[in-house]
Amino acid sequence: MKHKTSFSRRRLIQAAFASGALAAVPAAVRGELRVARPDGKPRRILFFVSDGMSQSVPALADALSRQVRDKGTHWRALMENREATMGQMETEALNSMVTDSSAASSAWGGGQRVNNGAVNMLPDGTAIRPISDWLAEREARLGLVTTATVTHATPAGFASSVASRGMEQQIAEQYFDKVGLILGGGMRFFDARRRDDGCDMCDDFGKAGYQVFRNRDELLAGGGERRLGLFSDSHVPYTLEQMHNEELIKTVPTLAEMTASALEWSLLSDAPTLIQVEGARVDHAAHGNDIAALLWDQIAYDDALGLALEFAREHPDTLVVTTSDHGNANPGLNGVGGGYSGSTRAFSRVARAKMTFPEWISGARGRAEDLNSASLREEVREVFGVGISETEADGILDSLRGNDVVEWNNQHRNTHGLLGQVIGNHNGIGWSGTSHTNDPTLISAIGPGADRFSGWVRNDAVRGIFEDLLS
Ligand SMILES: [Zn+2]
């Protein structure tokens, strides 16, 4: 394990700590360089998924990052690197041109398309063995890192087979002994008091040698060969929410901090290793037409990706892949004003948001009877940084009070859809709806085997590529 020193836990954590300055990680290579295996294959694959990342999202996140952090994204730097491959990921499910996350991850991790809602299970009930089983047979390792519940659809597709993605208690059981590192949210699916069978899964995992982390400090203290980190009852909070909450900053690790733990874990063994890192809440924010929440979570994902790219420079036996499972609501910056002269200024307002839509809507709904159009306009100005019209305020107020609002796009006939349209009138962002789209997604890779992820890539071809590269 002498190579461990070249990318030590301390350095990773320091890097993750350098609040918002993850791009400034020193590039100096210390210790022994490890090269790709003689056959040109990687020893480890870091498979990054920004869930529901429409094609426009990484470029918009880059623009926001330049505006508020005075630096671009690691994704953009990767695009400028001639060694990186680029392609398009085909995203269909078995029963629909539009996939959900469980069918998409099943295609990746199981190698076959299934119906939406299923995890590695065919319509006739035949279970498909996930890549976790293939890896376990070869004493290879699997790690799952996410900002959703760890048992959510995207991680689940790599390590479970169930009829319905909602069976998260059973998914937790299927991870046992097969997944060496599990980091994210979802304590409620492991907690004895909330599981239907009353089993204390944390205790079971602990007895099997897993170190169990329940908060950020425990994670940052380091870990061993088996790690289970559950940092939230359900999903890990949105980055935008965490940014404005001291308690969440102290107690919940960022995706980059979880990724740092996974990278350090990957060096504990020479066995072939596959790690999936998911920025899950990009998808949730896209469903909610909440551009600020979406882009801040994309930036958090990019910070984690930056750590992986830095790690791969020091460990050239590493393949890094970044992609998405499907588009979602396809946000885009529109031309605003004469000669589109207002677009740049409009987009600059995204940075002013202090709350996510769900946070604000849930509070405002409770106060809806006390609000009037003037006070609502004042709140929206304070919370989202835009001055909406009286008519717009009246529409939102109606929706908060549960009244039907005229909206010709049926997908937007709800408070978050309406709010997304209204705020979009002032920040230039338009949305195609509030659901997943059929668009292919961006895929890029760098490192040994990267060429396998160039050009047109079917989602159900990914499993075979993993097997080829890790065998
Ligand atoms: Zn979704």
Side-chain angles (χ1 to χ4, degrees), residues 283 287 326 328 436:
D283 180 67
H287 281 295
H326 49 74
N328 188 343
H436 297 182

Side-chain angles (χ1 to χ4, degrees), residues 242-264:
Q242 184 173 21
M243 282 160 56
H244 296 280
N245 184 320
E246 286 301 322
E247 184 60 22
L248 291 179
I249 290 172
K250 270 191 289 187
T251 57
V252 179
T254 62
L255 185 60
E257 287 168 342
M258 290 193 272
T259 300
S261 174
L263 295 174
E264 180 258 321

Side-chain angles (χ1 to χ4, degrees), residues 279-321:
R281 309 225 63 192
V282 169
D283 180 67
H284 302 162
H287 281 295
N289 283 189
D290 186 349
I291 193 65
L294 187 156
L295 294 182
W296 278 113
D297 260 74
Q298 179 67 26
I299 286 173
Y301 170 84
D302 192 78
D303 285 343
L305 177 65
L307 276 186
L309 294 170
E310 159 75 0
F311 175 94
R313 279 192 287 276
E314 296 192 10
H315 299 276
D317 51 357
T318 305
L319 169 64
V320 181
V321 184

Side-chain angles (χ1 to χ4, degrees), residues 41-168:
K41 292 181 177 182
R43 187 166 277 108
R44 65 188 71 76
I45 300 176
L46 310 177
F47 191 75
F48 274 71
V49 182
S50 176
D51 202 290
M53 181 186 75
S54 305
Q55 296 235 356
S56 60
V57 166
L60 288 173
D62 185 72
L64 179 63
S65 178
R66 283 173 201 280
Q67 185 191 323
V68 299
R69 315 202 304 176
D70 220 19
K71 64 180 184 189
T73 54
H74 300 286
W75 170 82
R76 170 67 177 267
L78 185 66
M79 294 299 97
E80 291 172 355
N81 186 338
R82 284 169 184 271
E83 289 172 25
T85 63
M86 298 178 201
Q88 300 269 318
M89 171 76 74
E90 183 182 305
T91 62
E92 296 190 14
L94 181 62
N95 65 332
S96 174
M97 286 173 69
V98 178
T99 189
D100 80 338
S101 293
S102 63
S105 186
S106 297
W108 288 337
Q112 290 188 62
R113 287 183 177 161
V114 299
N115 286 352
N116 284 335
V119 181
N120 291 315
M121 193 159 294
L122 294 170
D124 67 1
T126 308
I128 298 160
R129 296 185 73 211
I131 185 114
S132 55
D133 293 25
W134 184 90
L135 291 165
E137 280 163 13
R138 285 155 187 79
E139 296 188 350
R141 304 152 88 218
L142 175 63
L144 298 173
V145 180
T146 181
T147 48
T149 59
V150 294
T151 44
H152 211 245
T154 303
F158 279 35
S160 66
S161 312
V162 290
S164 166
R165 57 185 286 174
M167 299 164 69
E168 294 191 59

